[in-house]
Amino acid sequence: MFTVRVRMAADGSSRAAPTSRRAVLAAAGWATTGLATAALGGLAGCDSGGPGPDATPPPDPLLPFLTATVALADQYDAAIAAESSLSARLTPLRDDHRAHVRALAREIGISPPSPSASASAESAPSTVQKLLAAEKDAQKDAEKACLEGPSYRAALLGSIAACRASHQEALR
Amino acid sequence: MTAADDRLAAALEAEHAAIFGYGVVGAHAGGDVALAQAAELAHRGRRDALIVRLTSKGVAVPAAQAVYALPFPVTDQAGALKLAQTLEDRCAAIWRLALPDTTGDERKVALDALIDCATRGTAFRKAAGTTPSTTAFPGQLSSG
């Protein structure tokens, strides 16, 4: 409709970057050690010496973003568990975040991390106001990642930023 | 014309079409007319900014057409809200396509526009009572 030229040749979500076997192997190790240790693993990776064939590959810069996205989805789980009357309203939003987790894991080249049930149980009940604030911060993170990241990830990260903005509208 | 210019010119065409569409939305929006007017105003702002930007770069600026074909006839408030959702979805898709081909300030322009379209899309879904009111990947035309 509207005779607008739509050029669909390059939808930016494609994985143009070579996802190397190294990255997949490194990420698989990360996935099995769990999210809690992911940050530590990332730091350790930075300690490797000069660039050599055996040097540990740098962690994917999207890993912290993925971890934060899992935490955001977990926050919704906690809110839904604490207040079942909010379930109908919050579940679709939670599902959007889970879809982001799957897409980010695919982009990085790892298996999607599963929801951390323990984190949900430990979290203080999240109110809608707290979720709103979390979405706002998360939108900023996604915008930063989109603007500073490589072009082949810009569309994916831009959509995630836009989704988080639309969640704020949905929560209002 | 660079790939970025090409994407921005396509975005301008989409904004022209959206502004036309909002003329129809506004006529049938009933109680949601303020929402429709605010949306139209935002698209006019984007259009004007794009014209300034493209002109300053020496890029040929696509003109608005006199008439655009509507995707479906709009005769009532429900139809108006549905058209508004469609307009925002289309614009979101065009702006999303601009992200990989732009850098720096121009990527920010595209990102801000995508975010606005997605937010308004949700506002119109809420007004129409459509559930869910959000999508995981605004602007993405293919699934996955």
Side-chain angles (χ1 to χ4, degrees), chain B residues 36-134:
Chain B
Q37 283 173 344
E40 179 177 351
L41 202 62
H43 286 287
R44 287 184 182 278
R46 297 244 181 258
R47 174 200 62 186
D48 295 346
L50 276 171
I51 289 173
V52 169
R53 180 176 289 272
L54 290 172
T55 303
S56 72
K57 294 174 79 179
V59 175
V61 174
Q65 296 172 31
V67 179
Y68 293 83
L70 294 178
F72 45 83
V74 174
T75 55
D76 57 12
Q77 189 173 355
L81 292 174
K82 193 175 158 205
L83 177 58
Q85 291 167 40
T86 305
L87 297 173
E88 297 301 340
D89 291 350
R90 298 295 174 108
C91 283
I94 298 283
W95 281 112
R96 184 181 191 268
L97 284 171
L99 289 172
D101 286 331
T102 49
T103 55
D105 178 47
E106 289 191 336
R107 189 182 289 177
K108 177 90 166 74
V109 166
L111 178 60
D112 287 347
L114 170 58
I115 286 169
D116 279 359
C117 291
T119 304
R120 280 192 298 271
T122 291
F124 282 113
R125 282 180 178 81
K126 272 173 73 179
T130 307
T131 54
S133 65
T134 64

Side-chain angles (χ1 to χ4, degrees), chain A residues 77-121:
Chain A
D77 276 338
I80 292 165
E83 188 69 69
S84 59
S85 63
L86 291 173
S87 178
R89 194 171 163 208
L90 299 185
T91 300
L93 308 184
R94 190 273 317 273
D95 291 346
D96 286 345
H97 293 304
R98 294 279 178 230
H100 295 165
V101 167
R102 287 193 297 276
L104 288 165
R106 193 163 60 236
E107 178 62 36
I108 294 168
I110 61 173
S111 308
S114 43
S116 45
S118 58
S120 307

